[in-house]
Amino acid sequence: MKTYVIVSALLLGATFTDGSAQSSSTNRVPRTVKTAFTNTYATARQVKWDREGKDWEVSFTLNGEKKSALFNPDGQQTELETEISVAKLPQSVRSYMDGQKKPIVEAAEITDAMGKRYYEAESGGKDYLFTAEGKPVKKIGQ
């Protein structure tokens, strides 16, 4: 009985000690997607996987920055989002949101698979997208 308790405690401790614990949905992530992520972000920590439609979104910390990446089922990365401070948003984005009376609570810079950059401003539980020049768009690619 002592051996069982000790082994169980060791296994449980090993699961949570390295700072890179992954959510239980990791087991369902296709191997091609996990491999692509690991090859690109080998030093990522605090990794958490979620489904986003037919794609996989992975949230993680890399070099102290909070990021998330979107991968299609073939393992191709289609988007990278990096959390930024509201102050780092272009002035045109901040002015637009001020004019709409929408206080920004979170901000991010998004880069799509083609290298095109966008900005995201979250307000009132809704995400507002902007081109790199600060013009509003409905979704990436428009």
Side-chain angles (χ1 to χ4, degrees):
M1 182 66 170
K2 282 184 184 179
T3 304
Y4 175 75
V5 171
I6 291 170
V7 170
S8 295
L10 288 172
L11 289 174
L12 185 60
T15 304
F16 297 104
T17 56
D18 75 350
S20 62
Q22 297 179 353
S23 71
S24 60
S25 65
T26 301
N27 295 330
R28 297 182 302 241
V29 178
R31 181 177 301 238
T32 54
V33 174
K34 282 195 229 181
T35 300
F37 171 75
T38 302
N39 288 343
T40 306
Y41 305 103
T43 60
R45 296 283 177 245
Q46 300 172 326
V47 176
K48 181 181 175 240
W49 291 94
D50 290 303
R51 259 330 259 263
E52 188 168 299
K54 63 180 175 37
D55 296 330
W56 289 93
E57 180 178 26
V58 58
S59 302
F60 57 99
T61 302
L62 184 68
N63 301 324
E65 292 183 314
K66 291 183 181 182
K67 297 180 178 282
S68 67
L70 197 61
F71 288 87
N72 68 23
D74 296 327
Q76 297 170 326
Q77 184 175 329
T78 58
E79 185 178 291
L80 176 65
E81 181 175 316
T82 303
E83 189 176 296
I84 61 173
S85 69
V86 172
K88 288 187 178 179
L89 286 170
Q91 181 59 47
S92 55
V93 171
R94 289 181 280 146
S95 295
Y96 176 88
M97 295 299 287
D98 286 345
Q100 300 293 311
K101 306 283 190 244
K102 307 255 186 218
I104 302 169
V105 294
E106 285 187 18
E109 181 179 271
I110 301 170
T111 305
D112 70 12
M114 303 303 289
K116 192 167 182 180
R117 192 177 49 185
Y118 296 87
Y119 289 98
E120 179 181 79
E122 183 185 323
S123 178
K126 186 174 177 184
D127 294 333
Y128 295 84
L129 292 174
F130 300 85
T131 63
E133 298 76 33
K135 295 181 181 175
V137 294
K138 291 184 182 175
K139 64 181 188 178
I140 292 177
Q142 286 189 318

